[in-house]
Amino acid sequence: MRNYLLLTPGPLSTSQTVREAMLQDWCTWDKDYNGGIVTPIRKGLLAIAGLDENEYTDVLLQGSGTYCVEATIGAAVKPTDKLLILANGAYGKRMAQIAGYYHIDHVLVSLHETELITGEVARRALEENPGITHLSMVHSETTTGLLNPIEEVAEVIRGKGITFIVDAMSSFGGVPIDMKKLDIDFLVSSANKCIQGVPGFGFIIAKREKLMACKGVARSLSLDIYDQWETMEKGGGKWRFTSPTHVVRAFYQAMKELNEEGGIVARYERYKKNHRTLVDGMRAQGFKTLLPDASQGPIITSFLYPHAGFDFNAFYAALKQKGFVIYPGKISDADTFRIGNIGDVFPEDMEKLLEAIRNTDYK
């Protein structure tokens, strides 16, 4: 039984069957685990993304999504390269922190949290910063809920020989992304987001040639994605270091449930319906969204405080008591709170949340 419904950007509320999948123990060296679970996950991720395994590959890595972003930047960007980071929120700026720790030559173009990273932003940044070899950005920026138009950026850098790194942490599996058409070289995501697994590992989907070019580049032993990939390739799914077995098994179940739902397109439609139900209901109660509908993604929604004396902590506690957990805001110059639309959550759950808010004294 759930203690409450998580309406956050992650970790998410998971299905009963995903949670039950963690009740069995697994041996990290056993072929039933590596060959029967890990290898099908790796193949399944490429299938979900619609990619040919002769051209693309993937690697799983222990830790949170940030571990995978750091691992990718640390292995894909050589000391002689120059990285352009386009950011409009906390997670884009975190890429710059990573680059700083690794002493990577980089440029950070930091926009306001409500401003989209458009093709024009990318074009201007490249004009002002010659010598760029790599470009990284976040697709779904959960600081606010923006869904950045990676299609526009992809078009700007097409044919320029620039390696494209996309943090699709909160979008892969829940928003359609044509990785091949957009010529994305590295796409990074996590087990506990739109595929609706539990926290514990992330994954990198990459062009084979680009991942193989990472050999010997990583500045970290644990975060060496080439070495991790090579071990999995040669070892039939084996991880270099202790695998989060229960989490991996839960993810295997979550992938199965994604396919049973109808794949990414069907899940995207559910998430959009969750978002629309939430926004229409909140606006009917007098709440205002931070973002205009045109730039808002379906993953998480930011709402402005309804009045100057609004007590978010009391509001949060009252909703938690009723079985719903929401999220504080993260924007620098506005008082907001956030409500997630993803996970094992359906429009009828949003209706119940709206009813709970109607019966909560926040005025």
Side-chain angles (χ1 to χ4, degrees):
M1 295 293 293
R2 287 175 172 152
N3 47 354
Y4 40 64
L5 198 67
L6 281 169
L7 299 174
T8 71
L12 310 171
S13 283
T14 53
S15 69
Q16 180 73 20
T17 41
V18 165
R19 296 194 296 276
E20 287 173 351
M22 293 186 286
L23 295 175
Q24 178 67 47
D25 297 323
W26 296 89
C27 174
T28 58
W29 286 82
D30 196 282
K31 63 179 176 58
D32 289 342
Y33 172 71
N34 291 319
I37 298 174
V38 179
T39 297
I41 284 175
R42 294 185 65 213
K43 288 181 177 293
L45 284 171
L46 294 179
I48 288 171
L51 299 172
D52 182 345
E53 60 183 78
N54 291 315
E55 297 179 61
Y56 293 84
T57 187
D58 52 29
V59 58
L60 316 182
L61 187 68
Q62 300 94 325
S64 71
T66 297
Y67 283 56
C68 293
V69 173
E70 179 171 336
T72 301
I73 291 173
V77 187
K78 297 180 176 68
T80 53
D81 291 331
K82 187 174 183 180
L83 172 65
L84 171 63
I85 302 164
L86 303 179
N88 56 354
Y91 301 99
K93 290 177 181 177
R94 190 174 293 174
M95 291 179 173
Q97 287 181 286
I98 291 166
Y101 268 77
Y102 282 71
H103 305 291
I104 289 170
D105 184 10
H106 70 283
V107 175
L108 170 64
V109 174
S110 185
L111 309 179
H112 189 268
E113 292 113 325
T114 58
E115 185 180 354
L116 285 172
I117 298 171
T118 61
E120 176 58 25
V121 168
R123 185 195 61 75
R124 191 167 60 245
L126 290 171
E127 283 182 357
E128 295 172 358
N129 299 281
I132 295 298
T133 61
H134 293 64
L135 185 151
S136 66
M137 64 180 290
V138 175
H139 185 205
S140 174
E141 180 52 85
T142 55
T143 299
T144 56
L146 280 172
L147 189 67
N148 286 311
I150 53 175
E151 301 83 4
E152 292 184 17
V153 177
E155 194 56 39
V156 168
I157 65 175
R158 190 178 301 278
K160 291 183 169 61
I162 295 172
T163 296
F164 194 15
I165 301 171
V166 175
D167 174 341
M169 207 66 59
S170 298
S171 57
F172 181 79
V175 177
I177 302 171
D178 192 332
M179 190 171 168
K180 183 176 176 65
K181 181 179 178 181
L182 299 180
D183 204 23
I184 296 170
D185 297 287
F186 295 90
L187 182 146
V188 187
S189 195
S190 179
N192 64 293
K193 298 289 187 173
C194 294
I195 296 182
Q196 298 179 185
V198 298
F201 78 94
F203 51 89
I204 300 101
I205 303 175
K207 291 180 182 175
R208 275 189 175 269
E209 61 174 327
K210 288 297 179 94
L211 186 54
M212 292 176 73
C214 294
K215 184 177 182 178
V217 180
R219 288 80 151 173
S220 164
L221 171 65
S222 298
L223 302 182
D224 186 341
I225 59 173
Y226 176 84
D227 199 32
Q228 181 90 332
W229 172 80
E230 187 177 54
T231 301
M232 286 185 170
E233 288 282 298
K234 293 180 177 179
K238 184 181 176 299
W239 302 54
R240 289 180 301 157
F241 310 125
T242 303
S243 166
T245 53
H246 298 76
V247 173
V248 173
R249 179 60 183 84
F251 188 74
Y252 179 79
Q253 175 64 26
M255 286 181 63
K256 179 182 177 185
E257 293 177 15
L258 170 62
N259 289 323
E260 288 171 350
E261 185 174 352
I264 293 175
V265 172
R267 185 154 291 178
Y268 180 49
E269 290 302 317
R270 172 163 62 87
Y271 287 172
K272 285 197 296 183
K273 192 169 182 181
N274 287 349
H275 167 70
R276 194 73 261 155
T277 301
L278 173 68
V279 169
D280 289 348
M282 290 291 279
R283 285 174 176 166
Q285 294 189 48
F287 286 92
K288 295 180 179 179
T289 55
L290 171 69
L291 301 174
D293 291 348
S295 56
Q296 172 73 61
I299 304 302
I300 192 166
T301 314
S302 292
F303 294 94
L304 296 166
Y305 280 13
H307 54 79
F310 178 72
D311 186 341
F312 171 76
N313 289 329
F315 184 63
Y316 172 91
L319 290 180
K320 183 179 177 183
Q321 192 73 24
K322 296 175 181 179
F324 302 95
V325 167
I326 62 173
Y327 228 53
K330 208 169 187 176
I331 191 169
S332 58
D333 59 359
D335 291 325
T336 63
F337 62 89
R338 293 175 287 170
I339 301 178
N341 310 301
I342 61 177
D344 190 45
V345 177
F346 299 84
E348 51 265 35
D349 296 310
M350 290 304 185
E351 294 286 3
K352 292 174 184 175
L353 169 68
L354 292 165
E355 181 64 23
I357 291 172
R358 265 190 295 272
N359 294 315
T360 299
D361 184 14
Y362 60 84
K363 296 181 173 64

